[in-house]
Amino acid sequence: MGKRPPVVVLSSSSDEDEGRGRRAASRGPSARRTRTPATAPPPAHATSGSRKKARRVGSSGRGRRRAAGPAPSGSLKAEFDMLSEDFSECLNDLGMAGSICQTEELWVEKYKPNLSSELAVHKKKVEDVKKWLEEKLKAPKGTFGGWTLVLTGQAGVGKSATIKALAPELGVEICEWTAPVPTLWTEHLHANSGLRYISKLEEFENFVEKIRKYSLLSPTSIGSQRKLTIVLIDDIPVTSGRVSFARLGKCLTGLIQSTQVPTVISLTQYHKTENNDTATWNSEDLESLLQSAGARKIAFNPVTTNSIKKILVRICKKEGSDLTEELLHQIATSSGGDIRHAIMSLQYYCLNPRRLNSALTTTTILPVLKSSGTLVPVQDDYGFSYVISTACGRDETLSLFHALGKFLHNKRDTYVNVAVDVDSFPLKEKLRRNPHKMEVPEKILSQAHGKVRTVADFLYENVLDFIDNDAIDDAWTVISYLSEADCLLAGSPISSARWMVNESYESESMTQLIAASVAARGVLFGNAHVSSSRWHTIRSPRVWQIEQSFRSRKDLILRERYDCSSTSGSRNFADIVTEFKPFERWISPCNDISRSNSVDHNVEASSSEEEEIEDW
Amino acid sequence: MLWVDKYRPKTLDKVTVHDQVAQNLKKLVAEQDCPHLLFYGPSGSGKKTLIMALIKQMFGAGAEKVKMENKTWKIDTGSRTIEIELAMLSSTHHVEMNPSDAGFQDRYVVQEVIKEMAKNRPIDAKGKRAFKVLVLNEVDKLSREAQHSLRRTMEKYSASCRLILCCNSSSKVTEAVRSRCLNVRVNAPSEDQIVQVLEFIGKKENLNLPFGFAARIAAQSNRNLRRAILFFETCKVQQYPFTSNQVAPPLDWEQYVAEIAADIMKEQSPKRLYAVRQKLYELLVNCIPPESILKKLLAELLKKLDSDLKHEICHWAAHYEHKMRLGSKAIFHIEAFVAKFMSIYKEFLVSTFG
Amino acid sequence: MLFYGPPGTGKTTTALAIAYQLYGPELYKSRVLELNASDERGINVVRTKIKDFAAVAVGTARKGGYPCPPYKIIILDEADSMTEDAQNALRRTMETYSKVTRFFFICNYISRIIEPLASRCAKFRFKPLSEEVMSNRILHICNEEGVSLDAQALATLSSISNGDLRRAITYLQSAARLFGSSISSTDLISVSGAIPEDVVKSLLASCKSGEFDVANKEVNNIIADGYPVSQLISQFLDVIVHADDIPDEQKARICKKLGEADKCLVDGADEYLQLLDVASETIRALFDMPQTLVF
């Protein structure tokens, strides 16, 4: 990965760019200066950068902000800046400008827990961390390894807050690594994010190097009277691509093995669905890597609704706002265990209580009208959390499962409604279905926020469980619909552009929608004989695992290919797999051992069958 | 060294199976001017052998000194830079590579890499053979765009570079490329020819072949010479001297597919379908190409069916194989085929046996 | 101007000839821009390269007896493979610079040229060349190159090239390279990748037997011999259409299947499976079996 030359920035001065440059100039320094490549941009640059960024993120849709936020963002501070921009922008849209003062602190910052007792995290976890830290601080210097703690969990469950709250109690100093702020904004616009990540990675490497040196020096130079320190690595640079991931891994492993200062790495877990592609950064890979390097791991669970509620109530009291109990409950549930998010939503709604109330009334009225008095609590719940999550939400994977459940269980009205369509449309008996006991599938899908690919994969993985064991016809119908959906998803067969999702994203979105509804409705329609309603766990699609291990396997074979065939030219991949490999196994039995070692670890469940194949 | 490599004919004169083709190629070389070539034919028919022999015929022994290198190409597409790592075999006179390994980036490979290579005219002191030969394998797996840019490259650099393309099915190569090449069809050797080759190898290895043994292997190999030789060597490793009724063990993945077929015939239910799915995953993880799985599965099922059903089944196999091309997840389509089969077969059973 | 028609009918040759006749060899380089499909031809090229070239005005300068009109020519070969965006961008360019620059579009399928662009052009359709024209040309080449060609081979050549003169010449040249100066019709067939008649016939015969297994075996053999299936399908179509003993309804059914199979092959489907599907459908059609099984 080479550095992109600065020429690109300078040369790419199209009209559009010029205009933006000027706008940036009106806010801060001159356009010329903004363009000059600077290694350490002055703060004015940074703010103008994040301002722009906030615009961009804000306009790309509120619902996505959460998902988009953590991945490319710089430090947390920058993220908050960006969000506060966003808030004020929202309010400007509503014509409420001025009701919030720019300088007002965000509540998340304001009510940051200062004592460990204030933490919303489960007591036991806090205790664990505390114990570990105490132990390490007392432990004698000079031992290698075991100095690292990895905290994992979803975004906003209070990983770093725990450390920050514990540190003053233990009387230690925190030496924190924060990601550098995004560099030039023009550069950011032109370069795809690749560039920034790399520079981040480099900076991270430098930091790690410093720590290692520091920790090696400290015992001799300062001795025992020095102040105790904890190193906190909050935001591991997001890497893209195998090469840089390997670099990061190496760097971290080195750190873990050599450091002699208690080091805490907090690692945000993204959902697997977001990055099932090997090319992107995989938090689980990193986690296992860290652990194998000898780090201790403490996993943080999402904060429970009750604790969130308690915190919210406390903040409400201090702020003197009078949100109803019910409302707080809704905010707490919809946050999905993300305390930071919950506080954000709270602040947002406190700014404009009327808005919330109106939202509340509209959504509650609707189901009332619909179900004529019999208000099902679940439905109400769902509708409401939907409102909140669209207003300032995060991706709700929970509701993805909810939607899947609806499709799979395929509840229909049980009474036979013959009178309606017999005269108008002589439908075949085979094709008639009772009306759904749910909303339009497309609506559920849009609520679920899931990617279509994900939905299709989940449906495929699980649908067979829900089909009656005699109804193989139905199974075929369902799967053929899914196969159609897959074709739609793959896009046109001729263009290879389908891989570059970004380029053709706009035109594809329609196909995506259609594919989703083909998949969902296909499942609903095809499954005419639902198996009796039992409890099924929803499995996550194995296709992902399979594809991953398939790729790694293929790489392996491709790499091996040239070793064995240097004399006779290369061979076709298909030939190797179908012909050479099996024969090689017979002809030279020693190959067997090396091969069975190479069986991918991802497929543990299938390893027994794997053995079977090997044996023949 | 495998027998397949050991007994590969090294020169055009020694080619036994396609001697006619070999003679024609020799004429081409003798005329000093060689057009672009496209070799096509089923796998295991000897395309590669012919190509290697041809190159040797052109450049002499120098072409045999090949070295393998993993070269990384940086390609600037305007918006960003892509890095492509591609392995290739090269000698002073020729370069051999599989552009389709680059996956969806094959277009860039063809456009840039080949262009660059074609531009670098080989320097030679004697002033003869001023062109380089570029062997491209699996051309049929290239995307349309890649094939289109290939065609331009062929015209533009034809002075300094000759392309030898190699593919299994020429239907998948665009007309434009085909029409710019001299097409050479390499048909699979007949069973008699395979028997001859096997007996030749047997003689060289001082083996004693019982009567009918070579013919049996030839029949098992499905007119695939490479497979036949591999079978032959396997038999040798497993049991020698050969017994009169010895057969080579079936390929493991084919055996596995046969087992799946048996499973399908036994029971038709979603539960069984799910079990089948797990087995299919197994095959896919081992990188067996999905279309091979489908074809083999079809062949296994056809063995056990009535003629009416056969028509139906092969129609659906063709249908889902096509869908598989269009889609991106092979497993969906293979399973849809299995489900369809189950559905048809069950209906058939019910109607026949009540 | 817009030239359209099947490949090998002389569209590009005509365009180039016109350009040469207008400017002569000297000015040709500066006055004519030739762009091919495989040159990078996205919207950016249209915006920059074409625009730059088109924008510069030139004067009339009679030189060496060529008319040299005061405009330049841009020849866009294979215009149907341009993206719609690029075509749209062109349309504006064309209007703006129509005084100084003329465009020649050359394409195979006029339907792929967007309507606004097509309507700005004078359209010329190029028909496939007649057999007579072709054989004259080929005989001419044969005389020049000293290749002997008998009457049967000549007929074969014009039939396998389907009115595509370039293809015919290519075949002739490759055959001459491979087989020397006297060329027979079988040589031509083997060079062109066309499939011998008897292979196609035997496939049909195996279908007529009504036995699936027989047909399957035949299909297997064809695949093993490496014949290109897309070619086979088009030849099979000829045989079916000209067969006297098949009723029209059955023919229609088979042809429909052939069409489907061809589309699938273009999409990259497996040759064996498609051919097998065609064979089985043919059997079913010939024996009037129902399209789908009913129990």
Side-chain angles (χ1 to χ4, degrees):
Chain A
M1 299 260 177
K3 275 194 171 177
R4 203 174 40 79
V7 182
V8 180
V9 186
L10 295 168
S11 67
S12 59
S13 54
S14 67
D15 312 11
E16 197 184 18
D17 181 28
E18 205 59 65
R20 283 201 194 143
R22 232 172 276 131
R23 258 196 290 150
S26 69
R27 278 176 198 202
S30 75
R32 197 52 45 212
R33 272 186 60 206
T34 325
R35 292 256 177 80
T36 50
T39 41
H45 287 217
T47 40
S48 90
S50 61
R51 260 179 100 86
K52 289 290 180 187
K53 199 164 156 208
R55 272 285 154 74
R56 229 166 47 102
V57 174
S59 59
S60 77
R62 307 241 135 84
R64 282 291 160 120
R65 190 199 316 140
R66 256 290 131 182
S73 78
S75 67
L76 281 179
K77 185 77 177 73
E79 192 185 330
F80 289 146
D81 280 348
M82 175 175 111
L83 289 176
S84 76
E85 283 283 325
D86 216 0
F87 277 128
S88 66
E89 216 166 81
C90 270
L91 292 164
N92 282 335
D93 291 347
L94 289 166
M96 297 273 295
S99 80
I100 178 174
C101 167
Q102 276 289 326
T103 52
E104 191 186 341
E105 209 180 355
L106 271 178
W107 289 4
V108 182
E109 294 281 292
K110 200 166 164 188
Y111 297 102
K112 205 165 59 182
N114 297 318
L115 295 170
S116 59
S117 53
E118 278 178 24
L119 285 167
V121 187
H122 198 273
K123 289 279 175 300
K124 197 169 163 294
K125 298 278 178 192
V126 180
E127 209 51 45
D128 278 352
V129 179
K130 195 172 171 181
K131 217 187 273 167
W132 186 86
L133 282 174
E134 277 169 351
E135 207 173 275
K136 289 296 156 195
L137 289 169
K138 278 178 207 150
K141 301 283 163 188
T143 51
F144 286 95
W147 286 96
T148 320
L149 179 71
V150 180
L151 300 181
T152 63
Q154 281 180 22
V157 293
K159 297 182 294 293
S160 32
T162 310
I163 299 295
K164 283 178 187 161
L166 281 173
E169 284 175 29
L170 295 169
V172 289
E173 207 172 63
I174 296 179
C175 168
E176 189 178 354
W177 185 76
T178 46
V181 278
T183 37
L184 298 178
W185 105 266
T186 39
E187 214 171 28
H188 168 66
L189 182 81
H190 287 290
N192 272 339
S193 9
L195 174 80
R196 231 185 58 223
Y197 295 154
I198 295 161
S199 63
K200 242 166 100 171
L201 181 60
E202 271 167 7
E203 232 159 292
F204 182 69
E205 276 178 339
N206 290 340
F207 172 76
V208 167
E209 200 50 43
K210 260 185 244 161
I211 294 180
R212 285 169 64 178
K213 280 182 190 147
Y214 173 65
S215 66
L216 289 174
L217 287 175
S218 58
T220 50
S221 62
I222 315 174
S224 54
Q225 75 269 33
R226 78 192 164 88
K227 193 152 190 201
L228 293 163
T229 9
I230 305 174
V231 177
L232 173 62
I233 298 172
D234 200 354
D235 191 17
I236 288 182
V238 179
T239 55
S240 54
R242 244 182 308 156
V243 184
S244 48
F245 181 75
R247 229 170 104 191
L248 177 68
K250 214 175 113 198
C251 174
L252 281 172
T253 322
L255 172 72
I256 290 167
Q257 281 163 355
S258 65
T259 185
Q260 293 183 18
V261 178
T263 308
V264 180
I265 300 173
S266 96
L267 195 61
T268 307
Q269 277 174 333
Y270 301 108
H271 287 289
K272 207 140 192 220
T273 54
E274 299 291 334
N275 46 12
N276 53 30
D277 198 19
T278 46
T280 55
W281 183 61
N282 198 332
S283 62
E284 283 181 27
D285 285 354
L286 198 56
E287 207 179 297
S288 60
L289 187 136
L290 289 172
Q291 270 185 287
S292 64
R296 165 107 190 270
K297 176 187 148 186
I298 295 181
F300 277 49
N301 295 327
V303 184
T304 56
T305 317
N306 278 337
S307 347
I308 292 184
K309 230 162 93 183
K310 256 184 244 162
I311 303 254
L312 292 182
V313 169
R314 210 181 64 215
I315 294 176
C316 278
K317 261 187 213 143
K318 284 196 188 160
E319 285 291 325
S321 52
D322 51 345
L323 291 183
T324 56
E325 172 89 1
E326 187 192 1
L327 211 59
L328 289 176
H329 178 73
Q330 299 300 351
I331 293 176
T333 39
S334 78
S335 71
D338 181 346
I339 182 94
R340 191 163 32 182
H341 172 70
I343 299 176
M344 290 280 198
S345 329
L346 181 68
Q347 185 172 22
Y348 182 57
Y349 284 117
C350 281
L351 292 172
N352 188 3
R354 254 173 300 149
R355 181 181 151 101
L356 183 66
N357 285 336
S358 67
L360 179 66
T361 43
T362 47
T363 44
T364 39
I365 283 170
L366 261 172
V368 169
L369 288 179
K370 240 190 218 162
S371 49
S372 55
T374 54
L375 187 69
V376 193
V378 181
Q379 221 170 0
D380 180 21
D381 218 36
Y382 191 76
F384 190 81
S385 69
Y386 172 56
V387 167
I388 289 190
S389 63
T390 46
C392 67
R394 50 185 287 152
D395 262 355
E396 282 288 336
T397 13
L398 280 178
S399 58
L400 171 65
F401 286 105
H402 194 115
L404 286 173
K406 283 199 176 199
F407 293 143
L408 291 170
H409 281 291
N410 195 8
K411 287 197 183 114
R412 289 171 190 276
D413 293 348
T414 39
Y415 59 91
V416 185
N417 198 350
V418 200
V420 186
D421 49 10
V422 158
D423 42 8
S424 60
F425 252 117
L427 269 175
K428 276 191 207 162
E429 185 62 36
K430 222 171 86 186
L431 297 179
R432 193 169 329 128
R433 302 280 189 272
N434 291 327
H436 292 296
K437 235 185 190 173
M438 63 174 100
E439 288 178 82
V440 194
E442 283 78 11
K443 195 172 170 195
I444 298 177
L445 275 175
S446 72
Q447 287 172 359
H449 292 303
K451 281 186 191 158
V452 184
R453 183 86 260 176
T454 322
V455 175
D457 288 348
F458 267 103
L459 284 175
Y460 170 71
E461 179 66 33
N462 293 295
V463 76
L464 286 184
D465 284 348
F466 292 86
I467 296 173
D468 192 71
N469 211 20
D470 289 329
I472 188 68
D473 287 356
D474 292 350
W476 169 68
T477 324
V478 167
I479 289 174
S480 72
Y481 274 111
L482 286 174
S483 124
E484 298 286 345
D486 177 53
C487 291
L488 283 171
L489 278 173
S492 81
I494 304 160
S495 77
S496 62
R498 65 182 143 140
W499 299 99
M500 313 192 173
V501 187
N502 295 328
E503 284 173 25
S504 55
Y505 187 73
E506 288 299 316
S507 58
E508 301 257 298
S509 60
M510 191 64 197
T511 347
Q512 298 271 324
L513 286 179
I514 297 170
S517 93
V518 167
R521 283 188 180 267
V523 169
L524 290 173
F525 170 79
N527 194 359
H529 310 276
V530 191
S531 69
S532 51
S533 194
R534 272 175 294 151
W535 171 250
H536 290 288
T537 49
I538 288 186
R539 292 179 299 266
S540 88
R542 254 190 88 196
V543 193
W544 297 344
Q545 281 176 26
I546 298 292
E547 286 187 343
Q548 218 164 29
S549 49
F550 167 75
R551 266 187 240 118
S552 59
R553 192 70 173 265
K554 183 171 175 175
D555 284 348
L556 192 81
I557 293 177
L558 280 179
R559 248 174 283 144
E560 277 177 4
R561 163 164 74 186
Y562 291 95
D563 301 342
C564 56
S565 61
S566 54
T567 49
S568 55
S570 57
R571 293 161 177 156
N572 282 3
F573 176 68
D575 291 344
I576 297 179
V577 180
T578 53
E579 293 174 10
F580 284 106
K581 282 283 168 190
F583 284 116
E584 262 174 25
R585 239 166 291 155
W586 286 320
I587 292 169
S588 50
C590 57
N591 269 11
D592 222 26
I593 302 143
S594 67
R595 260 178 57 79
S596 47
N597 284 343
S598 72
V599 168
D600 206 276
H601 302 293
N602 280 346
V603 205
E604 281 144 2
S606 64
S607 59
S608 58
E609 287 169 11
E610 192 87 35
E611 291 305 320
E612 265 178 65
I613 292 192
E614 303 285 338
D615 287 345
W616 286 326
Chain B
M1 198 190 216
L2 291 175
W3 287 359
V4 185
D5 294 327
K6 198 170 168 186
Y7 295 102
R8 191 186 289 271
K10 295 286 188 306
T11 60
L12 285 176
D13 291 321
K14 284 194 189 147
V15 171
T16 49
V17 177
H18 301 286
D19 47 348
Q20 194 56 48
V21 181
Q23 290 316 310
N24 288 338
L25 290 175
K26 249 179 102 176
K27 264 184 219 162
L28 275 185
V29 176
E31 276 183 34
Q32 297 281 315
D33 176 35
C34 179
H36 298 304
L37 291 170
L38 171 68
F39 285 81
Y40 65 95
S43 89
S45 59
K47 299 180 293 296
K48 231 14 187 312
T49 311
L50 280 171
I51 291 174
M52 298 321 287
L54 174 68
I55 288 174
K56 198 179 170 205
Q57 184 84 24
M58 283 171 159
F59 302 111
E64 276 190 341
K65 284 182 204 133
V66 289
K67 61 175 193 293
M68 208 277 284
E69 54 183 331
N70 258 318
K71 213 165 172 183
T72 311
W73 304 85
K74 275 188 190 154
I75 290 154
D76 193 18
T77 58
S79 57
R80 63 204 157 132
T81 316
I82 301 177
E83 282 191 28
I84 298 171
E85 201 185 294
L86 206 61
M88 53 192 199
L89 290 168
S90 59
S91 74
T92 43
H93 301 287
H94 84 286
V95 172
E96 179 180 345
M97 63 202 292
N98 278 26
S100 58
D101 284 353
F104 56 91
Q105 289 163 335
D106 54 0
R107 183 161 51 120
Y108 302 113
V109 174
V110 170
Q111 271 178 352
E112 300 296 327
V113 177
I114 298 179
K115 236 183 233 177
E116 194 180 316
M117 205 175 293
K119 269 183 197 161
N120 292 334
R121 253 189 134 106
I123 310 154
D124 62 341
K126 289 167 213 157
K128 60 165 196 173
R129 299 280 174 239
F131 60 85
K132 235 180 167 178
V133 168
L134 181 57
V135 181
L136 296 181
N137 291 319
E138 298 175 70
V139 194
D140 47 351
K141 297 225 175 68
L142 287 177
S143 66
R144 291 280 139 151
E145 285 97 336
Q147 293 192 19
H148 267 290
S149 34
L150 189 62
R151 116 196 203 187
R152 182 72 184 147
T153 323
M154 287 165 86
E155 285 181 345
K156 218 169 174 177
Y157 304 104
S158 63
S160 61
C161 176
R162 291 285 179 281
L163 293 178
I164 297 182
L165 311 175
C166 178
C167 68
N168 280 344
S169 68
S170 69
S171 300
K172 288 178 195 167
V173 180
T174 55
E175 180 63 42
V177 171
R178 262 187 286 163
S179 75
R180 281 167 176 77
C181 295
L182 179 57
N183 295 6
V184 181
R185 181 170 62 87
V186 183
N187 62 315
S190 68
E191 290 188 5
D192 290 343
Q193 283 171 318
I194 291 180
V195 168
Q196 277 172 19
V197 172
L198 292 182
E199 278 167 355
F200 168 76
I201 293 176
K203 212 155 65 186
K204 287 264 177 178
E205 289 281 320
N206 282 324
L207 299 179
N208 188 13
L209 271 74
F211 176 76
F213 178 70
R216 247 196 330 273
I217 287 182
Q220 203 181 354
S221 68
N222 220 348
R223 292 184 69 183
N224 183 337
L225 183 57
R226 173 177 47 224
R227 200 177 274 207
I229 299 175
L230 285 167
F231 270 132
F232 188 48
E233 191 173 354
T234 311
C235 288
K236 156 80 172 45
V237 169
Q238 287 190 333
Q239 191 175 18
Y240 185 81
F242 301 118
T243 54
S244 58
N245 56 355
Q246 184 179 351
V247 281
L251 290 176
D252 51 6
W253 69 271
E254 293 195 342
Q255 174 101 27
Y256 204 58
V257 173
E259 221 168 79
I260 293 177
D263 280 356
I264 297 171
M265 301 292 286
K266 233 181 277 164
E267 185 190 328
Q268 296 83 34
S269 70
K271 215 180 258 162
R272 180 53 62 97
L273 187 59
Y274 187 71
V276 167
R277 179 194 295 180
Q278 304 309 320
K279 291 195 170 181
L280 289 174
Y281 277 148
E282 207 51 58
L283 286 169
L284 288 176
V285 164
N286 281 295
C287 299
I288 310 289
E291 59 271 16
S292 306
I293 299 177
L294 195 63
K295 266 197 273 188
K296 184 68 194 165
L297 190 59
L298 176 69
E300 290 294 332
L301 292 173
L302 285 180
K303 276 185 202 161
K304 306 170 184 170
L305 286 181
D306 274 11
S307 147
D308 285 352
L309 283 175
K310 280 178 185 168
H311 293 301
E312 195 68 19
I313 297 307
C314 83
H315 167 70
W316 286 108
H319 176 82
Y320 281 112
E321 201 274 336
H322 176 224
K323 283 265 176 289
M324 195 153 79
R325 289 285 164 188
L326 298 178
S328 59
K329 304 225 159 155
I331 183 77
F332 278 40
H333 310 289
I334 299 181
E335 188 172 318
F337 168 69
V338 173
K340 183 65 193 173
F341 175 80
M342 284 180 167
S343 153
I344 293 173
Y345 192 64
K346 191 173 183 192
E347 211 172 325
F348 167 77
L349 286 182
V350 167
S351 70
T352 322
F353 303 109
Chain C
M1 271 190 266
L2 174 63
F3 293 166
Y4 65 99
T9 48
K11 298 180 297 297
T12 314
T13 317
T14 313
L16 289 178
I18 293 175
Y20 266 111
Q21 205 149 19
L22 284 178
Y23 300 112
E26 269 179 55
L27 276 174
Y28 180 80
K29 276 250 156 75
S30 61
R31 292 285 177 92
V32 180
L33 176 69
E34 235 191 295
L35 284 177
N36 204 299
S38 30
D39 296 321
E40 202 50 55
R41 224 170 36 177
I43 188 155
N44 280 331
V45 175
V46 171
R47 280 215 186 116
T48 57
K49 206 168 168 185
I50 294 184
K51 217 167 164 181
D52 288 350
F53 184 82
V56 185
V58 288
T60 333
R62 258 174 201 285
K63 256 188 197 169
Y66 294 105
C68 289
Y71 50 76
K72 293 185 291 187
I73 290 180
I74 295 181
I75 299 174
L76 290 167
D77 209 344
E78 295 158 54
D80 42 2
S81 64
M82 283 169 81
T83 59
E84 209 157 287
D85 287 344
Q87 292 191 32
N88 272 317
L90 252 186
R91 152 186 172 190
R92 187 92 198 100
T93 318
M94 272 175 83
E95 273 176 0
T96 323
Y97 305 108
S98 63
K99 285 236 174 67
V100 284
T101 307
R102 300 290 145 86
F103 285 83
F104 280 31
F105 294 97
I106 297 168
C107 65
N108 293 137
Y109 304 100
I110 195 175
S111 51
R112 299 223 187 116
I113 302 288
I114 58 167
E115 187 52 40
L117 211 58
S119 75
R120 284 173 172 75
C121 300
K123 278 171 253 173
F124 294 92
R125 189 164 78 88
F126 282 66
K127 276 185 291 189
L129 300 175
S130 72
E131 208 156 302
E132 200 186 320
V133 176
M134 268 211 349
S135 37
N136 280 340
R137 190 76 201 159
I138 286 171
L139 284 178
H140 171 73
I141 294 173
C142 286
N143 282 336
E144 294 276 308
E145 294 287 327
V147 175
S148 73
L149 203 65
D150 57 31
Q152 199 204 347
L154 191 61
T156 320
L157 189 56
S158 48
S159 78
I160 55 178
S161 54
N162 272 330
D164 182 341
L165 186 58
R166 178 176 45 207
R167 210 194 293 183
I169 296 174
T170 321
Y171 290 157
L172 189 64
Q173 189 182 2
S174 355
R177 270 185 183 157
L178 276 182
F179 304 104
S181 58
S182 91
I183 297 165
S184 70
S185 78
T186 45
D187 294 343
L188 284 171
I189 285 178
S190 77
V191 160
S192 69
I195 295 158
E197 282 291 293
D198 47 334
V199 173
V200 185
K201 290 243 169 72
S202 75
L203 178 64
L204 185 60
S206 72
C207 289
K208 278 181 179 160
S209 76
E211 288 291 322
F212 181 86
D213 292 326
V214 175
N216 191 6
K217 208 170 160 213
E218 189 63 36
V219 167
N220 263 322
N221 275 336
I222 288 172
I223 297 292
D225 281 335
Y227 293 114
V229 172
S230 52
Q231 176 72 30
L232 182 75
I233 279 180
S234 68
Q235 280 182 279
F236 194 64
L237 177 71
D238 285 346
V239 172
I240 291 289
V241 169
H242 294 120
D244 298 326
D245 53 346
I246 303 174
D248 282 351
E249 199 185 332
Q250 294 180 2
K251 275 187 188 173
R253 214 174 128 182
I254 297 168
C255 291
K256 188 174 158 234
K257 191 75 222 172
L258 287 170
E260 284 171 20
D262 190 48
K263 156 84 174 100
C264 292
L265 284 174
V266 168
D267 287 342
D270 188 78
E271 291 188 319
Y272 166 73
L273 290 175
Q274 290 302 328
L275 190 58
L276 189 62
D277 192 20
V278 166
S280 100
E281 180 65 23
T282 312
I283 294 174
R284 284 205 270 182
L286 291 175
F287 289 84
D288 280 326
M289 283 190 244
Q291 193 92 37
T292 47
L293 270 185
V294 187
F295 297 103

